[in-house]
Each structure stands twice: as structure tokens, then as C-alpha cells.
Amino acid sequence: MPTLLVTGGAGFIGANFVRFWRERHPADGVVVLDALTYAGNPANLDGVDGVELVHGDIRDQALVEKLLAERDADTLVHFAAESHVDRSILGPDAFIDTNVIGTHSLLKAARNVWLDKGSGRPHRFHHISTDEVYGTLGPADPAFHEDTPYAPNSPYSASKAASDHIVRAYHHTYGLQVTTSNCSNNYGPYQFPEKLIPLFLLNALEGRPLPIYGDGMQVRDWLHVEDHCLGISLILESDAAGECFNIGGGAELPNITVIDTLCAAVDDAFAADAGLARRFPQAPAANGKASASLKTYVTDRPGHDRRYAIDERRISARLGYKPGRDFATGLQQTIRWYLDNEGWWRAVQNGSYRAWMERNYTGRQGRIA
């Protein structure tokens, strides 16, 4: 029976992938390794059977080797990362520690278990990266493709670019069977509310400002997290060792368009459901006003990339990838999920899930800091 070790599997994209994989491969073993930092939430895996959650650090090479060997894992799917650009500007050290040193530690562990001490059995190390490693595009520039030169502009994207290169080197130097995917902006269920869509949605529900960087005309490609998981699964099931694939959502939009669309969808939801006004009395939509009235323009962040766009022709042609939903549908589904799961995001906002971690993990890898 195949067994996957999923790093960062209690985070936003990782947890969605675990859910996606368990639904489609119920006989496979799944072990999640997560440091359970601020964005790693055990509640993201509630209701998923047959998943072992291990609280630990990807930089702990001995732990990773033990998990790979003792669980007889033949696939490592690497989501664990520091991923918020603003945080990388304020404190880049954590991004180097996790994204560069942590990835290298995983590669060393995989090499030791699968190659140096192993039998040469088929294996796969899949590394999840970002389109931000390519830098920024002008308005008329062609979209990023897999051979676009790297030109990262933030500490976050630079740390991911470094990890991409190290993964590639372990394939070409040691023969480790690796693949890499570079994705665009993800959105969907279980996203920590520091990213644009959940942050602005929850702020609109609670009557807080919607802070828009600069003129709001930064362009991003938007990818529903389940479509991202589909792309990853196609790569894992392929014979494409040593290759890289860009995964996009086919929805290149300015941030201000995303924000206006979200505000209009919130207003429509309140108009259709009178109960929302009772649940969220501070929302403008509960008081006859437009959610867009909360828009507030703030000073742009340093080094803010102007445009990202994904050319996904390689994964489409080679592996048959196609996003399963357009942005309007995906956004509606996402808003509905947050409205239906208020308990989840309230717990994230107030940190109450820390008590859960203390009860379940104290004494295993030390106390939760």
C-alpha cells in the first residue's frame, strides 16, 4: 500500500490536498508532518479518517528519516513553508530557515532513506512552489512558463527560488526522483485569514476596513485550491521525474476587481439571507450599505510585484490538467464555505485551537510556543 508523507499538511493547501487525496485514494497511508505554527491548524483535518498527524519540524532530519523508514513512505509531498510576503519583509530569517534549510533537510532525509540506505525502490519527492519566483511582468509581457528565468523580488520568493534550485540539484546530482510545481494565488476553504480573500471577506462581515495596497491594480492569477490539488495529483501519478509544471487557475485579475467582486457577492448573500444580518450586525450589508464602502487605500508594500500570469500549457498538454471551476464559481463556493463554517474561523481569529494543541501535543515535541 503506498504511503505519503505530507509536510505542512495541517496548513491551508496541505490540508486540502490531504482531503483530496484521501477521497480518491482511500487505501493509501497518509502521514502529516506539521510544526503547527500560526497557520498550521489541526482542525483543518477534522473528519478525515486514516491520517496520522505528527507534530514536528521539517528541519529535524532524524525525525523525517524515521517517518519515511518506519511508515515505509514512498512519496513525500512538501507543502511546509513560510508563505506570507508581508511577514517576509518584516522578518526574513524565518523564511530562510523554513523554506531553504527546511527543504534541504527533507532532501537529505529522502536521499538517505530512498537512495543511500534504500533498495532503489520507486519514490517521489514533490515540491510545491510559487509563481512569485519568476518576479514581475509588464502589462503586455507573456505569462510565466517553466523556462522563464527566475527573478524573485521579496525575501519570500527568493527563499522559494532557492529551494526550487536545491530540489532540482538533488535530482541531477544524486538521482532523487523529484518534481516541482509552481502555482498561482490559491483561495478556498481553510485559508488562514491573512491572505486577501478570507481577510477581506471576514473584514466585510465584521465592518472592518478593507486595506488596498497602492492603486489595487496588481494583477494575479487566481487558482481554487481544489484545482491546485488536482494538478499536484496528476503530477504525482505521472512519470515526469525531474520536471517542473506551472499550475494556474486561468483567472488573471487585478486585485481591485477581486475585491469589488467579493464585496458584491457579500451584499448579494445578505440580500438573499436575512439571517446574515442578525449574525453579522456590524457588516455594512446588514445596515443597508455596500460592503465596498469599507475600501481603504493604504501605502503600497515595498517591492510589490505588479503582475503575475501563468502559462499552464505544459501541464495541460502533458497531463490533461484543466481547472474545474471559473473564478466566479470558485469565489461563490469559498464565501459560502466561510459563512457555513463560522466556528472554524472564529477559533482561528481568537487562537482557541491552541488549547487543542496543548492537550494533544504537550510532551511529544515539547510545548507549543
Side-chain angles (χ1 to χ4, degrees):
M1 180 180 69
T3 296
L4 281 67
L5 175 61
V6 182
T7 72
F12 163 48
I13 305 177
N16 274 283
F17 174 78
V18 169
R19 290 175 174 276
F20 183 96
W21 194 267
R22 289 296 298 163
E23 288 177 2
R24 290 156 180 80
H25 304 273
D28 288 2
V30 177
V31 180
V32 168
L33 175 62
D34 202 295
L36 299 178
T37 57
Y38 76 96
N41 184 350
N44 293 351
L45 297 171
D46 282 355
V48 185
D49 296 329
V51 174
E52 178 185 2
L53 175 58
V54 178
H55 176 213
D57 195 316
I58 60 172
R59 295 170 297 176
D60 186 344
Q61 183 179 337
L63 172 61
V64 177
E65 290 189 20
K66 180 179 180 181
L67 292 173
L68 289 173
E70 293 186 355
R71 305 316 191 266
D72 197 27
D74 56 5
T75 302
L76 192 157
V77 191
H78 177 31
F79 293 94
E82 295 286 347
S83 65
H84 195 256
V85 175
D86 287 358
R87 290 177 182 265
S88 82
I89 294 170
L90 296 172
D93 288 6
F95 289 73
I96 303 302
D97 288 344
T98 298
N99 299 350
V100 181
I101 297 173
T103 299
H104 188 216
S105 179
L106 292 173
L107 288 164
K108 289 189 291 183
R111 178 193 171 196
N112 284 347
V113 173
W114 287 336
L115 298 179
D116 294 350
K117 301 175 184 177
S119 61
R121 63 180 293 187
H123 61 267
R124 179 66 62 85
F125 184 113
H126 183 71
H127 174 58
I128 286 81
S129 189
T130 172
D131 58 0
E132 297 189 40
V133 299
Y134 299 121
T136 189
L137 292 169
D141 289 340
F144 298 133
H145 54 83
E146 288 82 358
D147 297 318
T148 299
Y150 278 25
N153 290 319
S154 71
Y156 161 60
S157 57
S159 68
K160 291 299 289 184
S163 66
D164 291 5
H165 291 316
I166 298 169
V167 170
R168 181 181 186 275
Y170 264 68
H171 174 70
H172 287 277
T173 301
Y174 304 113
L176 194 69
Q177 300 301 288
V178 308
T179 43
T180 296
S181 55
N182 297 80
C183 68
S184 53
N185 277 29
N186 278 226
Y187 68 99
Y190 301 103
Q191 188 168 29
F192 190 84
E194 66 183 357
K195 300 298 178 76
L196 190 151
I197 287 177
L199 174 65
F200 278 49
L201 171 58
L202 302 191
N203 280 11
L205 294 177
E206 299 187 329
R208 296 193 298 263
L210 308 180
I212 302 167
Y213 279 135
D215 61 3
M217 292 302 294
Q218 303 85 2
V219 175
R220 301 293 184 262
D221 176 73
W222 292 90
L223 171 65
H224 192 278
V225 67
E226 290 184 8
D227 290 328
H228 186 191
C229 293
L230 170 63
I232 294 169
S233 70
L234 291 172
I235 296 169
L236 288 173
E237 293 164 351
S238 74
D239 58 356
E243 295 193 50
C244 301
F245 295 90
N246 286 347
I247 305 175
E252 188 180 342
L253 297 168
N255 285 345
I256 193 65
T257 299
V258 173
I259 294 163
D260 286 340
T261 303
L262 186 151
C263 287
V266 170
D267 294 346
D268 289 345
F270 273 73
D273 182 357
L276 292 177
R278 294 189 292 272
R279 289 171 57 192
F280 306 107
Q282 300 304 314
N287 298 284
K289 300 178 182 178
S291 298
S293 65
L294 296 171
K295 293 194 298 185
T296 304
Y297 289 87
V298 299
T299 302
D300 208 354
R301 72 184 178 206
H304 200 174
D305 291 336
R306 193 64 174 171
R307 173 177 170 245
Y308 305 146
I310 283 285
D311 179 341
E312 61 192 34
R313 284 178 293 179
R314 177 180 291 180
I315 191 170
S316 297
R318 288 278 309 283
L319 307 181
Y321 169 77
K322 182 180 179 181
R325 55 186 60 74
D326 58 24
F327 179 74
T329 302
L331 183 63
Q332 288 288 348
Q333 292 172 346
T334 300
I335 291 172
R336 187 72 259 166
W337 187 89
Y338 279 89
L339 291 175
D340 291 344
N341 290 274
E342 183 180 354
W344 178 88
W345 55 262
R346 291 288 186 195
V348 169
Q349 285 182 326
N350 64 31
S352 65
Y353 68 87
R354 289 174 60 86
W356 188 100
M357 291 192 289
E358 289 286 1
R359 288 196 305 272
N360 288 276
Y361 290 101
T362 297
R364 297 190 193 183
Q365 295 289 326
R367 293 183 63 82
I368 304 299

